[in-house]
Amino acid sequence: MEQFWTARPKADQPQWLERRIEFDTYAATRDFLERLNDFCEAEQRFPDISFGRTYVNLTLRAAADDQPLGPADHAFASAIDGLL
Amino acid sequence: MEQFWTARPKADQPQWLERRIEFDTYAATRDFLERLNDFCEAEQRFPDISFGRTYVNLTLRAAADDQPLGPADHAFASAIDGLL
């Protein structure tokens, strides 16, 4: 997981995780977005998602405001990796 | 159209259009994204799209790099309005 997601703003108390994913085609981008949205809806947790034709950027904030990221946040990020 | 989309970076030669749309529910956000993605795929034109649970932000750059926005860009933006 560490090689994919970047903790922000600093390593010792990150407040959010970011990941950029690139795809070869728009169809692949849409397929991933569909799985991602289904998963977010099931979990009722909604990261900030940006996308274009062949990329998706994800920003995952700590579940609790003003708290550092915890194991549940990393597990959520890892589950998104599993959608790829 | 002018009341919805903001021309950037300046009015006399805008290079991109922006619009933020808010929704009441995640289901409404997803419904709109689905229509938007179908439309973008049909047009083979892919604006930058950001979204969360109840919002979508759109950034539409001029079809030709380093050119001001033209009638085709405004028509594309207006067609997106029509998806709402």
Side-chain angles (χ1 to χ4, degrees), chain A residues 2-75:
Chain A
E2 286 72 18
Q3 68 269 39
F4 295 127
W5 293 82
T6 304
R8 302 288 189 197
K10 53 183 182 179
D12 60 336
Q13 195 191 46
Q15 296 294 309
W16 67 89
L17 296 169
E18 296 176 344
R19 181 176 180 183
R20 181 180 176 91
I21 307 161
E22 300 197 355
F23 300 91
D24 290 333
T25 63
Y26 182 63
T29 304
R30 277 197 77 169
D31 283 350
F32 172 71
L33 283 171
E34 185 78 9
R35 291 194 298 278
L36 176 63
N37 285 343
D38 285 344
F39 176 69
C40 291
E41 191 164 10
E43 296 286 320
Q44 283 292 298
R45 184 168 180 183
F46 304 95
D48 291 314
I49 300 164
S50 298
F51 68 99
R53 194 174 67 85
T54 56
Y55 75 88
V56 175
N57 287 330
L58 298 166
T59 302
L60 178 63
R61 291 167 208 289
D65 284 345
D66 301 324
Q67 293 295 312
L69 291 161
D73 301 305
H74 288 279

Side-chain angles (χ1 to χ4, degrees), chain B residues 5-6 8-11 13 29 31 36 51 58-60 63 65 68 76-78 80:
Chain B
W5 292 82
T6 303
R8 302 289 190 195
K10 54 184 181 176
Q13 194 190 47
T29 304
D31 283 350
L36 177 62
F51 69 98
L58 298 166
T59 302
L60 178 62
D65 284 344
F76 187 81
S78 188
I80 291 175

Side-chain angles (χ1 to χ4, degrees), chain B residues 15-83:
Chain B
Q15 296 296 309
W16 68 87
L17 296 169
E18 298 175 344
R19 182 178 178 181
R20 179 180 178 91
I21 306 161
E22 300 197 355
F23 299 91
D24 289 333
T25 64
Y26 182 64
T29 304
R30 277 197 76 170
D31 283 350
F32 173 70
L33 283 171
E34 186 77 10
R35 290 193 299 277
L36 177 62
N37 286 342
D38 284 345
F39 177 68
C40 291
E41 192 163 9
E43 296 286 318
Q44 283 292 299
R45 183 166 181 184
F46 304 97
D48 291 315
I49 300 165
S50 300
F51 69 98
R53 193 172 70 84
T54 55
Y55 75 88
V56 175
N57 287 331
L58 298 166
T59 302
L60 178 62
R61 291 167 209 289
D65 284 344
D66 301 323
Q67 292 297 311
L69 292 161
D73 301 305
H74 288 279
F76 187 81
S78 188
I80 291 175
D81 295 336
L83 301 175

